[in-house]
Coordinates of all heavy atoms in Angstrom, one line a residue:
V1 N 51.4 -58.6 -73.1 CA 50.0 -58.5 -72.6 C 49.3 -59.9 -72.8 O 48.5 -60.3 -71.9 CB 49.3 -57.4 -73.5 CG1 47.9 -57.2 -72.9 CG2 50.0 -56.1 -73.4
I2 N 49.6 -60.5 -73.9 CA 49.0 -61.8 -74.2 C 49.4 -62.8 -73.0 O 48.6 -63.6 -72.6 CB 49.4 -62.4 -75.6 CG1 48.7 -61.5 -76.6 CG2 48.9 -63.8 -75.7 CD1 49.4 -61.6 -78.0
G3 N 50.6 -62.6 -72.6 CA 51.1 -63.5 -71.5 C 50.3 -63.4 -70.2 O 50.3 -64.3 -69.4
L4 N 49.6 -62.3 -70.0 CA 48.8 -62.0 -68.8 C 47.5 -62.8 -68.8 O 46.9 -63.0 -67.8 CB 48.6 -60.6 -68.6 CG 49.8 -59.7 -68.2 CD1 49.4 -58.2 -68.2 CD2 50.4 -60.1 -66.9
V5 N 47.1 -63.2 -70.0 CA 45.8 -63.9 -70.1 C 45.9 -65.2 -69.5 O 46.8 -66.0 -69.8 CB 45.3 -64.0 -71.6 CG1 44.0 -64.7 -71.7 CG2 45.3 -62.6 -72.2
E6 N 45.0 -65.5 -68.6 CA 44.9 -66.8 -67.9 C 43.6 -67.5 -68.1 O 42.6 -66.9 -68.4 CB 45.1 -66.6 -66.4 CG 46.5 -66.1 -66.0 CD 46.5 -65.8 -64.5 OE1 45.5 -66.1 -63.8 OE2 47.5 -65.3 -64.1
Q7 N 43.6 -68.8 -68.0 CA 42.4 -69.5 -67.9 C 42.4 -70.5 -66.8 O 43.3 -71.3 -66.6 CB 42.2 -70.3 -69.3 CG 40.8 -70.9 -69.4 CD 40.6 -71.6 -70.7 OE1 41.5 -72.1 -71.3 NE2 39.3 -71.7 -71.1
R8 N 41.3 -70.4 -66.0 CA 41.3 -71.3 -64.8 C 40.3 -72.4 -65.2 O 39.4 -72.3 -66.0 CB 40.7 -70.5 -63.6 CG 41.7 -69.6 -63.0 CD 41.2 -69.2 -61.6 NE 41.8 -67.9 -61.2 CZ 41.2 -67.0 -60.5 NH1 40.0 -67.2 -60.1 NH2 41.9 -65.9 -60.1
R9 N 40.5 -73.6 -64.5 CA 39.7 -74.7 -64.7 C 38.4 -74.4 -63.9 O 38.4 -73.7 -62.9 CB 40.3 -75.9 -64.2 CG 40.9 -76.8 -65.3 CD 41.5 -78.1 -64.8 NE 43.0 -77.8 -64.6 CZ 43.7 -78.7 -64.0 NH1 43.3 -79.9 -63.6 NH2 45.0 -78.5 -63.8
G10 N 37.3 -74.9 -64.3 CA 36.0 -74.8 -63.6 C 35.1 -73.8 -64.2 O 34.2 -73.2 -63.5
G11 N 35.3 -73.5 -65.5 CA 34.3 -72.6 -66.2 C 34.5 -71.2 -66.0 O 33.7 -70.3 -66.4
V12 N 35.6 -70.8 -65.3 CA 35.8 -69.3 -65.1 C 36.3 -68.8 -66.5 O 37.3 -69.3 -67.0 CB 36.8 -69.0 -64.0 CG1 37.1 -67.5 -63.9 CG2 36.3 -69.6 -62.7
P13 N 35.7 -67.8 -67.0 CA 36.1 -67.3 -68.3 C 37.4 -66.6 -68.3 O 38.0 -66.3 -67.2 CB 35.0 -66.3 -68.7 CG 34.4 -65.8 -67.4 CD 34.5 -67.0 -66.5
F14 N 38.0 -66.4 -69.5 CA 39.3 -65.7 -69.5 C 39.2 -64.4 -68.8 O 38.2 -63.7 -68.8 CB 39.5 -65.3 -71.0 CG 40.1 -66.4 -71.8 CD1 39.4 -67.1 -72.8 CD2 41.4 -66.9 -71.6 CE1 39.9 -68.1 -73.5 CE2 41.9 -67.9 -72.3 CZ 41.2 -68.6 -73.3
H15 N 40.2 -64.1 -68.1 CA 40.4 -62.7 -67.6 C 41.8 -62.3 -67.7 O 42.7 -63.0 -67.9 CB 39.9 -62.7 -66.1 CG 41.0 -63.3 -65.2 ND1 41.1 -64.6 -64.9 CD2 41.9 -62.6 -64.4 CE1 42.0 -64.8 -64.0 NE2 42.6 -63.6 -63.7
V16 N 41.9 -61.0 -67.7 CA 43.2 -60.3 -67.8 C 43.4 -59.5 -66.6 O 42.5 -59.3 -65.7 CB 43.3 -59.5 -69.1 CG1 43.2 -60.4 -70.3 CG2 42.2 -58.4 -69.1
H17 N 44.6 -59.0 -66.4 CA 44.9 -58.1 -65.3 C 45.0 -56.7 -65.8 O 45.5 -56.4 -66.9 CB 46.2 -58.5 -64.7 CG 46.2 -59.9 -64.0 ND1 45.7 -60.1 -62.7 CD2 46.4 -61.1 -64.5 CE1 45.7 -61.4 -62.4 NE2 46.2 -62.0 -63.5
C18 N 44.6 -55.8 -64.9 CA 44.7 -54.4 -65.2 C 46.1 -54.0 -65.5 O 47.0 -54.5 -64.8 CB 44.2 -53.6 -64.0 SG 44.4 -51.8 -64.2
K19 N 46.3 -53.3 -66.6 CA 47.7 -53.0 -67.0 C 48.4 -52.0 -66.0 O 49.6 -51.9 -66.0 CB 47.7 -52.3 -68.4 CG 47.4 -53.3 -69.5 CD 47.4 -52.6 -70.8 CE 46.9 -53.5 -71.9 NZ 46.7 -52.8 -73.2
I20 N 47.7 -51.4 -65.2 CA 48.2 -50.4 -64.3 C 48.4 -51.0 -62.9 O 49.5 -51.0 -62.4 CB 47.3 -49.1 -64.2 CG1 47.2 -48.5 -65.6 CG2 47.9 -48.2 -63.2 CD1 48.6 -48.1 -66.2
C21 N 47.4 -51.5 -62.3 CA 47.5 -52.0 -60.9 C 47.6 -53.5 -60.8 O 47.9 -54.0 -59.7 CB 46.3 -51.4 -60.1 SG 44.7 -52.1 -60.5
G22 N 47.3 -54.2 -61.9 CA 47.4 -55.7 -61.9 C 46.2 -56.4 -61.3 O 46.3 -57.6 -61.2
R23 N 45.1 -55.7 -61.0 CA 44.0 -56.4 -60.5 C 43.3 -57.3 -61.6 O 43.3 -56.8 -62.8 CB 42.9 -55.4 -60.0 CG 42.8 -55.4 -58.5 CD 41.8 -54.4 -58.0 NE 42.3 -53.1 -58.1 CZ 41.7 -52.0 -57.6 NH1 40.5 -52.1 -57.0 NH2 42.3 -50.8 -57.7
P24 N 42.7 -58.4 -61.3 CA 42.1 -59.1 -62.3 C 40.8 -58.4 -62.8 O 40.0 -57.9 -62.0 CB 41.7 -60.5 -61.7 CG 42.1 -60.3 -60.3 CD 42.7 -59.0 -60.0
I25 N 40.6 -58.4 -64.1 CA 39.5 -57.7 -64.7 C 38.9 -58.6 -65.8 O 39.5 -59.5 -66.2 CB 39.8 -56.3 -65.2 CG1 41.0 -56.4 -66.1 CG2 40.0 -55.3 -64.1 CD1 41.4 -55.1 -66.9
A26 N 37.7 -58.2 -66.2 CA 37.1 -59.0 -67.4 C 37.9 -58.9 -68.6 O 38.6 -57.9 -68.8 CB 35.7 -58.4 -67.7
A27 N 37.9 -59.9 -69.5 CA 38.8 -59.9 -70.6 C 38.5 -58.9 -71.6 O 39.4 -58.5 -72.4 CB 38.6 -61.3 -71.3
D28 N 37.3 -58.3 -71.6 CA 37.0 -57.3 -72.6 C 37.4 -55.9 -72.2 O 37.1 -55.0 -72.9 CB 35.5 -57.4 -73.1 CG 34.6 -57.2 -71.9 OD1 35.0 -57.3 -70.7 OD2 33.4 -56.8 -72.1
R29 N 38.0 -55.8 -71.0 CA 38.4 -54.5 -70.5 C 39.9 -54.5 -70.4 O 40.6 -55.5 -70.4 CB 37.8 -54.3 -69.1 CG 36.3 -54.2 -69.2 CD 35.7 -53.9 -67.8 NE 36.2 -52.6 -67.3 CZ 36.0 -52.1 -66.1 NH1 35.3 -52.8 -65.3 NH2 36.5 -51.0 -65.7
E30 N 40.4 -53.3 -70.4 CA 41.9 -53.1 -70.3 C 42.3 -52.6 -68.9 O 43.4 -53.0 -68.5 CB 42.3 -52.1 -71.4 CG 42.7 -52.7 -72.7 CD 43.3 -51.7 -73.6 OE1 42.7 -50.7 -73.9 OE2 44.5 -51.9 -74.1
Y31 N 41.5 -51.9 -68.3 CA 41.8 -51.3 -67.0 C 40.6 -51.5 -66.1 O 39.5 -51.6 -66.5 CB 42.1 -49.8 -67.1 CG 43.1 -49.6 -68.2 CD1 42.7 -49.0 -69.4 CD2 44.4 -49.9 -68.1 CE1 43.6 -48.8 -70.4 CE2 45.3 -49.7 -69.1 CZ 44.9 -49.1 -70.3 OH 45.8 -48.9 -71.3
C32 N 41.0 -51.5 -64.8 CA 39.9 -51.8 -63.8 C 39.0 -50.7 -63.5 O 37.8 -50.8 -63.1 CB 40.5 -52.3 -62.4 SG 41.5 -51.1 -61.6
S33 N 39.5 -49.5 -63.7 CA 38.7 -48.3 -63.3 C 39.2 -47.1 -64.3 O 40.1 -47.2 -65.0 CB 39.0 -47.9 -61.9 OG 40.3 -47.6 -61.7
R34 N 38.4 -46.1 -64.1 CA 38.6 -44.9 -64.8 C 40.0 -44.3 -64.4 O 40.7 -43.8 -65.3 CB 37.5 -43.8 -64.5 CG 37.6 -42.6 -65.2 CD 37.4 -42.7 -66.7 NE 37.9 -41.6 -67.5 CZ 37.1 -40.5 -67.8 NH1 35.9 -40.5 -67.5 NH2 37.7 -39.5 -68.4
K35 N 40.3 -44.4 -63.2 CA 41.5 -43.9 -62.7 C 42.8 -44.5 -63.3 O 43.7 -43.9 -63.7 CB 41.6 -44.2 -61.1 CG 42.5 -43.2 -60.4 CD 42.5 -43.5 -58.9 CE 43.9 -43.7 -58.4 NZ 44.0 -44.5 -57.2
C36 N 42.7 -45.9 -63.5 CA 43.8 -46.6 -64.1 C 43.8 -46.3 -65.6 O 44.9 -46.2 -66.2 CB 43.6 -48.1 -63.9 SG 44.2 -48.6 -62.3
S37 N 42.7 -46.1 -66.3 CA 42.8 -45.8 -67.7 C 43.4 -44.3 -67.9 O 44.1 -44.1 -68.9 CB 41.4 -45.9 -68.4 OG 40.6 -44.9 -68.0
D38 N 43.0 -43.5 -67.0 CA 43.6 -42.1 -67.0 C 45.1 -42.2 -66.9 O 45.9 -41.5 -67.5 CB 43.0 -41.2 -65.9 CG 41.6 -40.8 -66.3 OD1 41.2 -41.0 -67.5 OD2 40.9 -40.2 -65.4
E39 N 45.5 -43.0 -65.9 CA 46.9 -43.2 -65.6 C 47.7 -43.7 -66.8 O 48.7 -43.3 -67.2 CB 47.1 -44.2 -64.4 CG 48.5 -44.5 -64.0 CD 49.3 -43.3 -63.4 OE1 48.6 -42.3 -63.0 OE2 50.5 -43.3 -63.4
A40 N 47.0 -44.7 -67.5 CA 47.6 -45.3 -68.7 C 47.8 -44.3 -69.8 O 48.8 -44.3 -70.5 CB 46.8 -46.5 -69.1
M41 N 46.7 -43.4 -69.9 CA 46.8 -42.4 -70.9 C 48.0 -41.5 -70.6 O 48.7 -41.0 -71.5 CB 45.4 -41.6 -70.8 CG 45.3 -40.6 -71.9 SD 44.6 -41.5 -73.5 CE 42.9 -41.6 -73.1
R42 N 48.1 -41.1 -69.3 CA 49.2 -40.2 -68.9 C 50.5 -40.8 -69.3 O 51.4 -40.2 -69.8 CB 49.2 -39.9 -67.5 CG 48.9 -38.5 -67.1 CD 49.2 -38.0 -65.8 NE 49.2 -38.9 -64.7 CZ 48.1 -39.1 -63.9 NH1 47.1 -38.4 -64.1 NH2 48.2 -40.0 -62.9
I43 N 50.7 -42.1 -69.0 CA 52.0 -42.8 -69.3 C 52.2 -42.8 -70.8 O 53.3 -42.6 -71.2 CB 51.9 -44.2 -68.7 CG1 52.0 -44.2 -67.2 CG2 53.1 -45.1 -69.2 CD1 51.7 -45.5 -66.5
Q44 N 51.2 -43.1 -71.5 CA 51.3 -43.2 -73.0 C 51.7 -41.8 -73.5 O 52.6 -41.7 -74.4 CB 50.0 -43.6 -73.6 CG 50.0 -44.3 -74.9 CD 48.7 -44.9 -75.3 OE1 47.6 -44.3 -74.9 NE2 48.7 -46.0 -76.0
Q45 N 51.1 -40.8 -73.0 CA 51.5 -39.4 -73.5 C 52.9 -39.0 -73.2 O 53.6 -38.4 -74.0 CB 50.5 -38.4 -73.0 CG 49.2 -38.3 -73.8 CD 48.1 -37.5 -73.1 OE1 48.3 -37.1 -72.0 NE2 47.0 -37.3 -73.8
R46 N 53.3 -39.5 -72.0 CA 54.7 -39.2 -71.6 C 55.7 -39.9 -72.4 O 56.6 -39.3 -72.9 CB 54.8 -39.6 -70.1 CG 56.0 -38.9 -69.4 CD 56.3 -39.5 -68.1 NE 55.1 -39.5 -67.2 CZ 54.9 -40.4 -66.2 NH1 55.8 -41.4 -66.0 NH2 53.8 -40.4 -65.5
S47 N 55.4 -41.2 -72.7 CA 56.4 -41.9 -73.5 C 56.3 -41.5 -75.0 O 57.4 -41.5 -75.6 CB 56.1 -43.4 -73.5 OG 54.9 -43.7 -74.1
K48 N 55.2 -40.9 -75.4 CA 55.1 -40.3 -76.7 C 56.0 -39.1 -76.8 O 56.7 -38.9 -77.8 CB 53.7 -40.0 -77.1 CG 53.3 -40.2 -78.6 CD 51.9 -39.8 -78.8 CE 50.9 -40.9 -78.5 NZ 49.5 -40.6 -78.7
R49 N 55.9 -38.3 -75.8 CA 56.7 -37.1 -75.7 C 58.2 -37.4 -75.7 O 59.0 -36.8 -76.3 CB 56.4 -36.3 -74.5 CG 56.7 -34.8 -74.6 CD 56.3 -34.1 -73.3 NE 55.0 -34.4 -72.8 CZ 54.7 -34.4 -71.5 NH1 55.6 -34.1 -70.6 NH2 53.5 -34.8 -71.1
I50 N 58.6 -38.4 -74.9 CA 60.0 -38.9 -74.8 C 60.5 -39.3 -76.1 O 61.6 -39.0 -76.5 CB 60.2 -39.9 -73.7 CG1 60.0 -39.3 -72.3 CG2 61.5 -40.6 -73.7 CD1 59.9 -40.3 -71.2
S51 N 59.7 -40.2 -76.8 CA 60.2 -40.7 -78.1 C 60.3 -39.5 -79.1 O 61.1 -39.6 -80.0 CB 59.3 -41.8 -78.6 OG 58.0 -41.3 -78.9
R52 N 59.5 -38.5 -79.0 CA 59.6 -37.3 -79.9 C 60.9 -36.6 -79.6 O 61.6 -36.2 -80.5 CB 58.4 -36.4 -79.6 CG 58.0 -35.6 -80.9 CD 56.9 -34.7 -80.7 NE 55.7 -35.4 -80.3 CZ 54.7 -34.9 -79.6 NH1 54.7 -33.6 -79.2 NH2 53.6 -35.6 -79.2
I53 N 61.3 -36.5 -78.3 CA 62.6 -35.8 -78.0 C 63.7 -36.6 -78.5 O 64.6 -36.1 -79.1 CB 62.6 -35.7 -76.4 CG1 61.6 -34.7 -76.0 CG2 64.0 -35.3 -76.0 CD1 61.5 -34.6 -74.4
Y54 N 63.6 -38.0 -78.4 CA 64.7 -38.8 -79.0 C 64.8 -38.6 -80.5 O 65.9 -38.6 -81.0 CB 64.5 -40.3 -78.6 CG 65.0 -40.7 -77.3 CD1 64.2 -41.3 -76.3 CD2 66.3 -40.5 -76.9 CE1 64.6 -41.7 -75.1 CE2 66.8 -40.8 -75.7 CZ 65.9 -41.4 -74.8 OH 66.4 -41.7 -73.5
M55 N 63.7 -38.6 -81.1 CA 63.6 -38.4 -82.6 C 64.3 -37.1 -83.0 O 65.1 -37.0 -83.9 CB 62.2 -38.4 -83.0 CG 62.0 -38.4 -84.5 SD 62.7 -39.8 -85.4 CE 61.3 -40.7 -85.6
L56 N 64.0 -36.0 -82.2 CA 64.5 -34.7 -82.4 C 66.0 -34.7 -82.3 O 66.8 -34.2 -83.1 CB 64.0 -33.7 -81.4 CG 62.8 -32.8 -81.9 CD1 62.4 -31.9 -80.9 CD2 63.3 -31.9 -83.1
I57 N 66.5 -35.4 -81.2 CA 68.0 -35.4 -81.0 C 68.6 -36.2 -82.1 O 69.7 -35.8 -82.6 CB 68.2 -36.2 -79.6 CG1 67.8 -35.2 -78.5 CG2 69.7 -36.5 -79.5 CD1 67.9 -35.9 -77.2
F58 N 68.0 -37.2 -82.6 CA 68.5 -38.0 -83.7 C 68.6 -37.2 -85.0 O 69.6 -37.2 -85.6 CB 67.6 -39.3 -83.9 CG 68.1 -40.2 -85.0 CD1 69.2 -41.0 -84.8 CD2 67.4 -40.2 -86.2 CE1 69.6 -41.8 -85.8 CE2 67.8 -41.0 -87.2 CZ 68.9 -41.8 -87.1
I59 N 67.5 -36.4 -85.3 CA 67.5 -35.6 -86.5 C 68.6 -34.5 -86.4 O 69.4 -34.3 -87.3 CB 66.1 -35.0 -86.6 CG1 65.1 -36.0 -87.0 CG2 66.2 -33.8 -87.7 CD1 63.7 -35.5 -87.0
I60 N 68.8 -33.9 -85.2 CA 69.8 -32.9 -85.0 C 71.2 -33.5 -85.2 O 72.1 -32.9 -85.9 CB 69.7 -32.2 -83.6 CG1 68.4 -31.4 -83.6 CG2 70.9 -31.4 -83.3 CD1 68.0 -30.9 -82.2
L61 N 71.4 -34.7 -84.7 CA 72.7 -35.4 -84.8 C 73.0 -35.7 -86.3 O 74.1 -35.4 -86.8 CB 72.7 -36.7 -84.1 CG 73.2 -36.6 -82.6 CD1 73.0 -38.0 -82.0 CD2 74.6 -36.1 -82.5
M62 N 71.9 -36.1 -87.0 CA 72.1 -36.3 -88.4 C 72.4 -35.1 -89.2 O 73.3 -35.1 -90.1 CB 70.7 -36.9 -89.0 CG 70.5 -38.4 -88.7 SD 71.6 -39.4 -89.6 CE 72.3 -40.4 -88.4
I63 N 71.8 -34.0 -88.8 CA 72.1 -32.7 -89.5 C 73.5 -32.3 -89.2 O 74.2 -31.9 -90.1 CB 71.0 -31.6 -89.1 CG1 69.6 -31.9 -89.6 CG2 71.5 -30.2 -89.5 CD1 68.5 -31.1 -89.1
L64 N 73.9 -32.4 -88.0 CA 75.2 -32.1 -87.6 C 76.3 -32.9 -88.4 O 77.3 -32.3 -88.9 CB 75.4 -32.2 -86.1 CG 74.9 -31.1 -85.2 CD1 75.1 -31.5 -83.7 CD2 75.6 -29.8 -85.5
L65 N 76.0 -34.2 -88.5 CA 76.9 -35.1 -89.1 C 77.0 -34.7 -90.7 O 78.1 -34.7 -91.2 CB 76.3 -36.5 -89.0 CG 77.4 -37.6 -89.1 CD1 78.2 -37.6 -87.8 CD2 76.7 -39.0 -89.2
F66 N 75.8 -34.3 -91.2 CA 75.7 -34.0 -92.6 C 76.6 -32.7 -92.9 O 77.4 -32.6 -93.8 CB 74.3 -33.8 -93.0 CG 74.1 -33.4 -94.4 CD1 74.3 -34.4 -95.4 CD2 73.6 -32.2 -94.8 CE1 74.1 -34.1 -96.8 CE2 73.4 -31.9 -96.1 CZ 73.6 -32.8 -97.1
V67 N 76.3 -31.7 -92.0 CA 77.0 -30.4 -92.1 C 78.5 -30.7 -91.9 O 79.4 -30.1 -92.7 CB 76.5 -29.4 -91.1 CG1 77.4 -28.2 -91.0 CG2 75.0 -29.0 -91.5
W68 N 78.9 -31.5 -91.0 CA 80.3 -31.7 -90.7 C 80.9 -32.4 -91.9 O 82.1 -32.1 -92.3 CB 80.4 -32.6 -89.4 CG 81.8 -33.0 -89.1 CD1 82.7 -32.2 -88.5 CD2 82.4 -34.2 -89.4 NE1 83.9 -32.9 -88.4 CE2 83.8 -34.2 -89.0 CE3 82.0 -35.4 -90.1 CZ2 84.7 -35.2 -89.1 CZ3 82.9 -36.4 -90.2 CH2 84.2 -36.4 -89.7
S69 N 80.3 -33.4 -92.5 CA 80.8 -34.1 -93.6 C 81.0 -33.2 -94.8 O 81.9 -33.3 -95.6 CB 80.0 -35.4 -93.9 OG 78.8 -35.0 -94.6
L70 N 80.0 -32.2 -95.0 CA 80.1 -31.3 -96.1 C 81.3 -30.4 -95.9 O 82.1 -30.2 -96.8 CB 78.8 -30.4 -96.1 CG 77.6 -31.0 -96.9 CD1 76.6 -29.9 -97.0 CD2 78.1 -31.4 -98.3
S71 N 81.5 -29.9 -94.7 CA 82.6 -28.9 -94.5 C 83.9 -29.6 -94.4 O 84.9 -29.1 -94.9 CB 82.4 -28.2 -93.1 OG 82.4 -29.1 -92.0
A72 N 83.9 -30.9 -94.0 CA 85.2 -31.7 -94.1 C 85.6 -32.0 -95.5 O 86.7 -32.0 -95.8 CB 85.0 -33.0 -93.3
G73 N 84.6 -32.2 -96.3 CA 84.8 -32.5 -97.7 C 85.3 -31.4 -98.6 O 86.1 -31.6 -99.5
R74 N 85.0 -30.2 -98.1 CA 85.4 -29.0 -98.9 C 86.9 -28.6 -98.6 O 87.5 -27.9 -99.4 CB 84.5 -27.8 -98.4 CG 83.7 -27.2 -99.6 CD 82.9 -26.1 -99.2 NE 81.5 -26.5 -98.9 CZ 80.7 -25.9 -98.0 NH1 81.2 -24.9 -97.2 NH2 79.5 -26.4 -97.8
Q75 N 87.4 -29.1 -97.5 CA 88.8 -28.7 -97.2 C 89.7 -29.5 -98.1 O 89.5 -30.6 -98.3 CB 89.0 -29.0 -95.8 CG 88.7 -27.7 -94.9 CD 88.5 -28.1 -93.5 OE1 89.0 -29.0 -92.9 NE2 87.7 -27.2 -92.8
P76 N 90.8 -28.8 -98.5 CA 91.8 -29.4 -99.4 C 92.6 -30.5 -98.7 O 92.8 -30.4 -97.5 CB 92.7 -28.3 -99.9 CG 92.5 -27.2 -98.9 CD 91.1 -27.4 -98.2
Ligands
ZN1 ZN1 43.7 -50.9 -62.2

């Protein structure tokens, strides 16, 4: 994100690009419009959900591994 910050010669203040559509916007804003901020929110929620699913899979794998190692250890 920092890499998107540009400075032009001639007194034009810092500006950044909208994270969604890439349009140049004022440096104190993150998105050019309500639509883009809504879109960003949707993407964020989706990625949060996906990382939660990965976390669940990881936990299940750990439990399986634990149960497997317990049952393997019990055998003579
Ligand atoms: Zn935008």
Side-chain angles (χ1 to χ4, degrees):
V1 184
I2 293 162
L4 290 175
V5 179
E6 291 176 5
Q7 189 178 27
R8 284 192 203 151
R9 263 181 266 175
V12 177
F14 278 109
H15 77 275
V16 295
H17 293 275
C18 173
K19 287 176 185 172
I20 300 303
C21 67
R23 251 181 285 188
I25 48 173
D28 60 339
R29 296 183 58 185
E30 267 187 304
Y31 310 104
C32 66
S33 64
R34 183 65 199 270
K35 206 181 125 198
C36 281
S37 73
D38 283 352
E39 178 69 16
M41 191 81 82
R42 246 201 329 267
I43 290 170
Q44 210 171 25
Q45 278 170 352
R46 200 189 306 152
S47 70
K48 216 180 277 178
R49 205 183 312 147
I50 288 171
S51 65
R52 209 180 300 155
I53 290 170
Y54 275 125
M55 185 64 98
L56 260 178
I57 291 172
F58 181 74
I59 289 171
I60 289 169
L61 272 176
M62 281 289 128
I63 291 171
L64 279 178
L65 208 70
F66 182 69
V67 169
W68 177 79
S69 73
L70 273 187
S71 64
R74 241 181 263 147
Q75 268 158 30

